[in-house]
Amino acid sequence: MRRPALYSSSRPAPAQQATAAQPTPATVDPTPSPAPRRRRLSLSSPALLWAAIALLSAVLALSLSPAMHPTQRKLTQQDINAAVLKTLETQVLPSEYARAYDNIRPSVVRVVSYVKRSRLKDEMPRGQGSARPKPLGPAQGNSNANAEDDEIEAGVGTGVVIVDKGIILTNLHVVSGADHVKVTFFDGLESSASITGVQPENDLAVLQAQKIPDDMIAATMRSTGDLQPGDKVLAVGFPFGIGPSASGGIVSGLQRSFRSPEGKQEMNNLIQFDAAANPGNSGGPLVTMDGEVVGIVTAILNPTPARTFLGIGFAVPIENAATAAGLPPF
């Protein structure tokens, strides 16, 4: 079989092709003809093309050979367990309570109620002209203490932001009868607040702050439907005005009843817990280890005249509290 001719990459011009096509008379050139030029290699040759493909295939196969790239050993469960144990040995991880506190802290506020001196003087029984409400928080200085219309601190409690527009849940007894309510957010911002709703049967009040932080974060609320005795919970608030303070415990029971020491009110369907709570914790959130609110701290049981914690606290389930703010149930 005749092999095709090899051509260079350049082609003669059309005029040159026409000239070459015309016959020329045979002449004898006295000069010797030059030596024939060597053929140029070109990939247009099928043989060379297939040879190049074969060479590239061989190089590719060699590069993918297991001998060149040994496969990595697959991780086993033992390897993962060893890595976890090593991490636990070398790093101190935050506790469940610490993580829960970090999640709820931006939503917790300090609630202070104020009353006017003039109103207190008018409402005081005879023979008690020197009596004054005892503040639950630190003593507050007042440069105009002799002014009749000066407001004095009547009580300190806690609240939790449930809507990032500044809607706050707290206890009704914290703000009841107040002439002025002030809230302090996690970043130190202070704002007046107005009472926009109440639910007396559950001792709940809804506040609307006039000013809110730019990065306000509302708490996440969680249904109590799967809450069980023994579940860990965290209570966050301002006991005796100190805080924010956190105390950890467990759910002691569900659907409890509580009657106020004065016997004026009885509440039902309460969450019983053993995380420490004292005056000032009222209105604060009771949260799970995920930092989700399951209740609003409202009362402590102490059969003695002392207003201190003996190990039994009560919280209103968040379902009841949410309806007080007009939010849909879970």
Side-chain angles (χ1 to χ4, degrees), residues 46-70:
L48 292 178
L49 182 61
W50 283 109
I53 293 175
L55 179 60
L56 291 175
S57 300
V59 172
L60 181 61
L62 184 62
S63 64
L64 298 178
S65 173
M68 298 295 294
H69 301 282

Side-chain angles (χ1 to χ4, degrees), residues 11-34:
R11 297 190 178 186
Q16 295 174 349
Q17 293 179 358
T19 305
Q22 295 178 0
T24 55
T27 58
V28 177
D29 190 353
T31 60
S33 59

Side-chain angles (χ1 to χ4, degrees), residues 162 167 169 199 206 320-327:
I162 58 172
I167 298 178
L169 273 178
Q199 194 180 76
V206 183
N320 300 46
T323 57
L327 297 179

Side-chain angles (χ1 to χ4, degrees), residues 50-215:
W50 283 109
I53 293 175
L55 179 60
L56 291 175
S57 300
V59 172
L60 181 61
L62 184 62
S63 64
L64 298 178
S65 173
M68 298 295 294
H69 301 282
T71 57
Q72 296 182 352
R73 184 173 64 87
K74 293 183 178 180
L75 289 177
T76 64
Q77 186 62 45
Q78 289 75 9
D79 296 331
I80 298 174
N81 294 342
V84 172
L85 291 176
K86 184 64 175 180
T87 301
L88 294 176
E89 292 174 357
T90 57
Q91 298 185 15
V92 179
L93 301 179
S95 69
E96 292 179 286
Y97 291 113
R99 292 195 298 269
Y101 178 81
D102 287 340
N103 288 338
I104 193 62
R105 175 65 189 97
S107 307
V108 178
V109 300
R110 188 175 191 260
V111 181
V112 183
S113 60
Y114 295 88
V115 294
K116 293 182 178 180
R117 291 178 182 272
S118 59
R119 188 165 68 84
L120 284 176
K121 184 177 180 180
D122 294 339
E123 294 177 357
M124 283 179 185
R126 293 182 179 180
Q128 298 183 3
S130 60
R132 290 289 187 274
K134 183 179 180 181
L136 296 181
Q140 302 292 328
N142 196 333
S143 59
N144 298 322
N146 295 326
E148 287 292 329
D149 290 336
D150 280 349
E151 294 177 336
I152 64 172
E153 184 179 297
V156 176
T158 308
V160 57
V161 179
I162 58 172
V163 180
D164 57 9
K165 294 180 180 179
I167 298 178
I168 301 167
L169 273 178
T170 188
N171 278 152
L172 180 58
H173 73 260
V174 173
V175 297
S176 179
D179 294 309
H180 177 218
V181 177
K182 183 177 70 175
V183 296
T184 305
F185 292 95
F186 73 101
D187 63 350
L189 176 67
E190 295 183 351
S191 171
S192 296
S194 57
I195 302 174
T196 59
V198 296
Q199 194 180 76
E201 64 272 20
N202 287 312
D203 190 25
L204 293 171
V206 183
L207 307 179
Q208 174 63 66
Q210 295 181 3
K211 297 184 298 183
I212 61 174
D214 294 335
D215 54 348

